[in-house]
Every structure is written in C-alpha cells, then in structure tokens.
C-alpha cells in the first residue's frame, strides 16, 4: 500500500513498492504521451486545422496553439494543485488523467478546416486548453505523491520513476511515429495517420485511470491535511514565506523545460523542415535517445541518494551549457549524427529529470507543496517550454536557428548559478 511504502522493509532490506510506483507514474506517462503526440505529429496535421495553401502559416498556427495551451498550465497547477493539497494527491491525479485523455479523444475526431472553417482551430485550442490544465495539475500531484511515499534516504530513486514513466511514454510515441511514417505515405499521414496516435492516447488514459484507482493517500498528506485546510492564500504564502524556494524552482525549471522541449519536441520539426532530415530517421534517433534516457534515470536517482542532489545537478547544467551549441551542428540528414544529438542531449537531461520530483518537493512544506510546485513550475514551463517550438520555428524562418541553441546555453548558466544556492537535501525529512 502507498501508506506504508515509505517504511516497507524486509529483514533490513528495502523493497521498492513497484506496483504503487507504477500505478502513480503511469498516469504521468499517459499525460506526456498525449502531450508529445501533438508536438511530434504537428507537422502532419497542421494543414488539417489551418489553411493548407500556406504551409508556413499553418505550421506557425499549430505551434502557436501548442504554446497558448501552455499558458493554462499555471492555472491548472494552481487550481488542481490546491485541490490536491485539500482533497488528496489521489483525487488530483484522477482528475488530471480524465482531462488529458478526454482532450486527446476529442482531437482524434475533430473536423478539419476544410469541413468547418475557423471552427476547426478554435475546437483544437479548446481541447488543448483542457490538456494544459490537466498537465499543470499532474506534475505537482504526481511529484508530491512520489516524494511523500519515499523513505528520505531513497527519495532520489523513487523520484526517478516519474520520468521513467515519462520516457517510456515518449518512447512509445516515438516508436509510433516510426511505425506510422514507415507504413503510411505523406498523404495518408496528413489525412488520418495522426488521428491514430491521438486515439491511442485516449485509450491509454483508461488504463491509467484504472491503475490509479488502487492508490491510497500518502501518510505525509494525511498528517498535514488539517493544516492545509486551515491555510489561507496559499499561493501568496509561497512567495512571502518561501521566496528563495520560488526563485530556485523557477531558475532550475528554466533549463529543465528548455532541455525537455528542445530534445523531445522542438528538434523533430526543426530537423525535418529546416535541415531536410528524413522523418523516419529522426524518429529512429529520438527512439534510441529516449531508450538511453529511460535507462539512465534510476541510476542518476540512486547516485543523488549517495553523493547528493547538488553535484549531479551542477554537472548537468555545466555540461548542457558547454555542449548544446556544438550539438546543433550535428542536426542534419544523417542518421548517425542524429543519434549522437539525441543520445547526448537526452543522456544529460536524464540527470535532472530523475531528480525533479524530489528537488521540487523538498523546496516546500507539505501543506503548500502541490500549490507551490503547480504554480511556479508551470508558470516557468509555460513561459519558456511552451514557446520553444514556436521560437525555433520563427528563428529558422529568419535564417537564425543558431540563436535558439545559444538561448538554451544561456538558460543553463542561469540554472547553474541557482543550483549553487540550493541546500543539500539528500536523506532529509520532508517538511
């Protein structure tokens, strides 16, 4: 049971509550599968929701819808985060997966621009808003839950399951891209192939919903439930009582989100549309990089439990600052070069991803945890992550794609400086 996961021992040997961790994390996997399907397949369905006679305008319109949905993430983080602080992590996670799966199923059956005109992009935007609200609440609820059920000395390991699930869903989305681009031609992909991916996401949501129903609340939440209910103006309290934590979270999330959306989302349309890379090669390279990402998450989490969070995070930020610009020169129509780009980029990113739930949860007390993470994490993601595909597309159209990678390198410097100010939290009890 989740209640006793943090103290489960057998003859002095800790046993991972695998069923609980999988049940908690699979909802996050569904969330990110649906979210990533949009980013990876938008090059094929852009002309379905915007005038197809202007390819550049259609692509910008679709990426703008992607970006606009991000700005509903902070609202979802605040509202659903507060809901999770008041009603429980399980209730919050059930709500988010329902919103995400519903949005995916709606997109799968939406009419096209040719059929209903400008109603098509409006309906697409509404579905994306629901998914934006959902994802805003999902990150805070699932992160808090995993951190709260973990023994203090193993919080890094438990935390790693959050992005192991995410990576697994992204790998599934990427392999689906490989399959669809291999068996369907361009016309078929633009006509109906992309709808298959969204329908699969909706069906996966039902599986996630069923698994999450078996979860029980964390002891940490139940012990602090009354305190959370007595808390007024929780968002304001995060600023007044924990300003340092807010700034640290925003600075670290800046690079976290830029790394994620650069390698998992923005590079796919960039490589295909502006570096003339073969679409199938890009999906293959992304799949190989994602498999490496999944394999590295748990070892990184375990390493942080041994040597601390700060050394791992400092190495990640420094390496990203140094390597992201050189990697951009390898984005071209060559499978081997693309594999190097995705493996190095995602191999580095796994260091941060594995620790994200632990780091964020350690910044705020239990009664403010989901609200604090939900608000400030998602505000930063909306500002920098949601705009990443739009920024790289706009810069590429102006023949300045390299500016984007210098932008990411600058974010790495900011994150490095913020990490230096963190207190070491390995083995400590949550507040």
């Amino acid at each position: 049971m989740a209640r006793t996961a943090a103290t489960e021992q057998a003859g002095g040997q800790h046993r991972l509550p695998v069923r609980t961790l999988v049940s908690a994390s699979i909802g996050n996997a569904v969330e990110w599968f649906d979210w990533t399907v949009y980013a990876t397949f938008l090059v094929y369905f852009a002309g379905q929701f915007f005038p197809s006679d202007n390819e550049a305008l259609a692509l910008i319109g679709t990426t703008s819808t992607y970006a606009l949905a991000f700005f509903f993430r902070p609202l979802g983080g605040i509202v659903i985060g507060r809901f999770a602080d008041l009603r429980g992590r399980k209730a919050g996670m059930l709500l988010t997966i329902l919103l995400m799966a519903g949005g995916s199923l709606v997109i799968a059956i939406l009419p096209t621009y040719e059929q209903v005109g400008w109603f098509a992009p409006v309906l697409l935007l509404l579905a994306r808003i629901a998914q934006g609200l959902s994802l805003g609440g999902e990150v805070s609820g699932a992160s808090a839950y995993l951190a709260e059920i973990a023994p203090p000395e193993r919080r890094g390991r438990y935390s790693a399951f959050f992005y192991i699930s995410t990576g697994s869903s992204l790998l599934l989305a990427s392999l689906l891209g490989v399959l669809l681009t291999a068996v369907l031609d361009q016309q078929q992909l633009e006509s109906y192939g992309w709808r298959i991916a969204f329908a699969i996401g909706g069906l996966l949501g039902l599986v996630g919903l069923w698994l999450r129903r078996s979860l029980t609340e964390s002891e940490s939440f139940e012990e602090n439930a009354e305190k959370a209910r007595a808390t007024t103006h929780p968002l304001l309290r995060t600023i007044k009582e924990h300003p340092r934590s807010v700034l640290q979270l925003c600075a670290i999330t800046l690079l976290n989100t830029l790394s994620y959306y650069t390698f998992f989302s923005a590079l796919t349309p960039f490589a295909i549309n502006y570096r003339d890379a073969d679409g199938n090669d890009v999906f293959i390279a992304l799949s190989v990089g994602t498999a490496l990402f999944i394999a590295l998450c748990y070892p990184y989490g375990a390493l942080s439990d041994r040597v601390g969070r700060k050394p791992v995070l400092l190495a990640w930020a420094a390496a990203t600052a140094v390597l992201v610009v050189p990697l951009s020169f390898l984005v071209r129509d060559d499978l081997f070069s693309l594999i190097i780009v995705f493996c190095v980029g995602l191999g580095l990113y796994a260091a941060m991803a594995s620790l994200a739930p632990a780091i964020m949860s350690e910044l705020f007390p239990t009664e403010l945890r989901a609200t604090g993470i939900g608000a400030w994490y998602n505000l930063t993601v909306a500002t920098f992550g949601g705009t990443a595909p739009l920024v790289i597309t706009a810069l590429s159209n102006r023949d300045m794609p390299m500016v984007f990678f210098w932008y990411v390198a600058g974010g790495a410097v900011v994150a490095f400086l913020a990490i230096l100010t963190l207190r070491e939290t390995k083995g400590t009890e949550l507040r």
Side-chain angles (χ1 to χ4, degrees):
M1 294 175 61
R3 247 183 104 75
T4 58
T7 57
E8 185 179 349
Q9 301 286 331
Q13 181 67 38
H14 180 83
R15 296 173 57 193
L16 280 175
V18 176
R19 180 181 175 85
T20 296
L21 294 173
V22 171
S23 297
S25 301
I26 195 169
N28 185 61
V30 174
E31 301 274 354
W32 284 104
F33 176 87
D34 289 343
W35 199 265
T36 304
V37 158
Y38 185 98
T40 55
F41 284 91
L42 65 83
V43 294
Y44 299 112
F45 66 78
Q48 299 290 309
F49 295 107
F50 293 89
S52 58
D53 55 353
N54 189 328
E55 184 177 343
L57 178 62
L59 190 60
I60 290 175
T62 311
T63 53
S64 296
T65 301
Y66 182 86
L68 285 172
F70 268 79
F71 287 93
F72 285 86
R73 286 187 58 167
L75 178 60
I78 294 169
V79 174
I80 301 178
R82 179 58 175 165
F83 177 76
D85 279 339
L86 292 174
R87 300 292 298 276
R89 313 308 188 205
K90 176 182 176 180
M93 291 190 291
L94 288 173
L95 175 59
T96 56
I97 200 169
L98 281 172
L99 285 172
M100 179 60 71
S104 189
L105 288 173
V106 167
I107 293 174
I109 62 173
L110 278 181
T112 65
Y113 179 85
E114 185 177 314
Q115 294 170 326
V116 296
W118 286 103
F119 280 109
V122 170
L123 293 172
L124 175 66
L125 178 60
L126 291 175
R128 293 291 298 147
I129 287 172
Q131 292 185 314
L133 292 169
S134 169
L135 193 52
E138 170 65 20
V139 174
S140 57
S143 294
Y145 187 81
L146 287 171
E148 287 170 1
I149 67 172
E153 71 279 3
R154 294 178 179 270
R155 195 174 298 125
R157 294 171 174 86
Y158 278 52
S159 173
F161 274 80
F162 185 87
Y163 272 97
I164 289 174
S165 71
T166 301
S168 299
S169 67
L170 298 178
L171 180 58
L172 177 59
S174 181
L175 290 175
L176 184 61
V178 172
L179 175 62
L180 292 178
T181 55
V183 302
L184 301 177
D185 59 30
Q186 185 79 11
Q187 183 178 358
Q188 291 171 321
L189 284 168
E190 293 176 354
S191 176
Y192 65 86
W194 58 272
R195 294 185 186 273
I196 297 173
F198 284 105
I200 291 173
L203 294 175
L204 286 175
L206 298 178
V207 176
L209 179 65
W210 177 75
L211 285 172
R212 280 192 164 176
R213 289 181 62 195
S214 67
L215 294 175
T216 54
E217 289 297 347
S218 70
E219 291 180 354
S220 182
F221 166 77
E222 293 188 338
E223 290 169 358
N224 289 272
E226 290 301 322
K227 190 175 182 180
R229 295 185 186 103
T231 299
T232 57
H233 309 295
L235 184 58
L236 183 61
R237 280 191 59 188
T238 64
I239 302 173
K240 293 179 64 175
E241 299 178 11
H242 309 280
R244 182 186 180 95
S245 294
V246 170
L247 291 175
Q248 290 169 331
L249 176 59
C250 291
I252 296 170
T253 302
L254 164 63
L255 181 57
N256 182 3
T257 191
L258 283 179
S259 296
Y260 179 95
Y261 289 102
T262 295
F263 293 103
F264 277 126
S265 298
L267 274 184
T268 298
F270 170 74
I272 294 172
N273 291 325
Y274 301 104
R275 292 294 177 85
D276 298 320
D278 178 76
N280 193 251
D281 283 352
V282 174
F283 281 121
I284 291 173
L286 176 58
S287 299
V288 174
T290 304
L292 178 64
F293 171 87
I294 296 168
L296 289 176
C297 276
Y298 190 82
Y300 276 133
L303 180 64
S304 78
D305 285 332
R306 294 191 184 97
V307 305
R309 317 283 191 238
K310 287 183 68 172
V312 176
L313 294 178
L314 287 170
W316 159 68
T320 302
V322 171
L323 294 176
V324 68
V325 173
L327 280 177
S328 68
F329 289 102
L330 294 177
V331 181
R332 53 177 181 256
D333 188 19
D334 178 79
L335 177 59
F336 182 70
S337 294
L338 291 170
I339 289 175
I340 292 176
V341 171
F342 282 108
C343 283
V344 173
L346 292 175
L348 286 174
Y349 178 52
M352 170 60 202
S354 63
L355 306 184
I359 290 294
M360 294 190 297
S361 296
E362 290 163 347
L363 289 173
F364 298 101
T366 300
E367 69 273 13
L368 296 174
R369 184 165 296 127
T371 302
I373 296 173
W376 303 112
Y377 171 86
N378 284 294
L379 181 62
T380 308
V381 170
T383 304
F384 297 99
T387 57
L390 182 60
V391 169
I392 196 171
T393 298
L395 289 172
S396 297
N397 283 335
R398 295 173 179 268
D399 296 321
M400 298 187 300
M402 291 305 300
V403 174
F404 177 81
F405 298 97
W406 283 106
Y407 170 57
V408 177
V413 173
V414 172
F416 184 89
L417 295 176
I419 294 165
L420 287 175
T421 70
L422 286 174
R423 67 183 182 92
E424 183 54 65
T425 52
K426 71 161 185 170
T428 59
E429 295 281 350
L430 290 176
R431 290 179 284 172

